[in-house]
Structure formats: structure tokens, C-alpha cells
Amino acid sequence: NAYKAGIFVSAAAGNQGRGFLEKALETTNIDDSATGTPNGFDTTISVASVDNSVIYLMITDITLSDGSVIEATPMYNFTASLTAGEYEYCNLGYPEDFEGLDLNGKIAVVDRGIIPFKEKSDNAKAAGAAGIIIINNEDSYIATDTLSLPAVCVKSSSGAVLKDAEVKRITSVTPFDARGVEHDVITNPL
């Protein structure tokens, strides 16, 4: 017990908790693994930043079969991680964009635009897709509400790399994890 030994303990109050990526935080799904209210531990002081002018994103590296690496960011509140595998480009994600394609267990790659992200995801899922990559129409990232499939967003320039690849296969997905300490952290003084 650091506090009992006279050691001052400060803990970050703004780290991503373990529940952030699994499902939206609600009153029935409180996640206090990184912090609580007003503090995660009785004997610590929490520090946090308010009114940030910079947005920090989790960035995922996606490696294609030719060795090229593109960056993506998870769409908000995805329920599982996107995994490696084959992918198919499916235009805007209308139901007819999936006709004639074998998407069973594959990743659907769709352009942003016209129809809502959720509808794109639902259509891809109905066609058998295991995940979805949404190509933004600008060289920036986007986020959205809950989708029915694991989902990431790529910039328009990375979308061009996906579309132009000869072999449409993702060989690895390496996430950047910005999680803070778990709720049972033990601090050992020197």
C-alpha cells in the first residue's frame, strides 16, 4: 500500500478503459477500469485534461499481401477487431453492390457516401462479410455509431491502395492499444 507508506500516487483519469471498444458506455455498462467517479481509487489523485484542442485516435496498421502497410482507425464502438483475410471492393455498399460476390467470411471494402454507415455495414453482413472497411472521401479519418460488423476507416489515399492491389488480401492487422492500467494495478515503490 503506497498510501500507507506515505507515497503520493497520481493516476491518469482519461485513459481508454477496457470497455471502450467492446460496447458503448451506458448506465448499465459502467467501465471504471481506468478511472471512476470522481476517482478510481480512494487514496490517489487523478489528473485529466479538459477542453483538448487535439483529438487522439487509435491507429491500426493493416498489412496487405504485397507488404504495403496502410493505416486505419477503428470506427467508434466496434464490437470485435477486424481480422486478416481476403477482401472485396463493393462500391458504395448498396445491396446490389454485393450481388454476384462471394463475401462469405471476407472483408467488404466500401466507399463513403450516399447511404448511412450502418446501412453499408448491415448490407455487407447480409452478404456474408466478416468485417467492413469504409474508405473516407477525404484524406482524414471518420468515426460513427455502432455498426453490425467489425469496422475501420481508411483515408481516401489508403482506399486507393486497397482498390488497386492485385491480390485483395490483408495479411495482418496490428492495433495500437492506448489502454490505461487495469483496475487491480499494484504499484511497487523502489
Side-chain angles (χ1 to χ4, degrees), residues 84-169:
E86 293 181 37
Y87 67 89
E88 291 279 349
Y89 175 65
C90 306
N91 199 15
L92 286 167
Y94 283 104
E96 57 269 21
D97 292 333
F98 299 100
E99 291 175 7
L101 297 177
D102 176 15
L103 277 173
N104 193 25
K106 295 180 183 176
I107 300 163
V109 176
V110 298
D111 288 314
R112 178 182 185 181
I114 313 295
I115 62 174
F117 299 127
K118 184 170 180 347
E119 191 173 331
K120 293 173 188 287
S121 179
D122 291 347
N123 292 340
K125 185 175 183 176
I132 189 168
I133 297 175
I134 297 176
I135 302 170
N136 195 7
N137 53 8
E138 298 177 2
D139 241 14
S140 61
Y141 296 111
I142 50 175
T144 186
D145 294 326
T146 303
L147 299 179
S148 56
L149 289 171
V152 297
C153 167
V154 297
K155 296 177 178 181
S156 59
S157 57
S158 295
V161 172
L162 286 168
K163 291 178 188 179
D164 293 342
E166 252 184 70
V167 177
K168 307 250 189 281
R169 180 163 189 74

Side-chain angles (χ1 to χ4, degrees), residues 1-184:
N1 280 305
Y3 173 77
K4 289 181 182 176
I7 298 171
F8 172 81
V9 179
S10 177
N15 289 344
Q16 170 190 329
R18 67 178 176 270
F20 175 76
L21 298 177
E22 283 80 23
K23 65 188 286 193
L25 295 181
E26 300 169 353
T27 56
T28 57
N29 178 34
I30 300 299
D31 179 11
D32 61 1
S33 64
T35 187
T37 305
N39 190 353
F41 307 97
D42 293 338
T43 57
T44 63
I45 295 176
S46 290
V47 289
S49 177
V50 179
D51 296 330
N52 283 332
S53 61
V54 177
I55 297 173
Y56 294 95
L57 297 171
M58 285 183 44
I59 300 295
T60 300
D61 286 336
I62 296 176
T63 305
L64 304 181
S65 60
D66 66 0
S68 60
V69 177
I70 61 172
E71 291 182 343
T73 188
M75 301 296 279
Y76 179 74
N77 192 29
F78 64 102
T79 57
S81 296
L82 191 72
T83 58
E86 293 181 37
Y87 67 89
E88 291 279 349
Y89 175 65
C90 306
N91 199 15
L92 286 167
Y94 283 104
E96 57 269 21
D97 292 333
F98 299 100
E99 291 175 7
L101 297 177
D102 176 15
L103 277 173
N104 193 25
K106 295 180 183 176
I107 300 163
V109 176
V110 298
D111 288 314
R112 178 182 185 181
I114 313 295
I115 62 174
F117 299 127
K118 184 170 180 347
E119 191 173 331
K120 293 173 188 287
S121 179
D122 291 347
N123 292 340
K125 185 175 183 176
I132 189 168
I133 297 175
I134 297 176
I135 302 170
N136 195 7
N137 53 8
E138 298 177 2
D139 241 14
S140 61
Y141 296 111
I142 50 175
T144 186
D145 294 326
T146 303
L147 299 179
S148 56
L149 289 171
V152 297
C153 167
V154 297
K155 296 177 178 181
S156 59
S157 57
S158 295
V161 172
L162 286 168
K163 291 178 188 179
D164 293 342
E166 252 184 70
V167 177
K168 307 250 189 281
R169 180 163 189 74
I170 294 170
T171 57
S172 70
V173 180
T174 309
F176 168 76
D177 190 347
R179 294 172 190 254
V181 298
E182 284 294 332
H183 67 282
D184 61 351

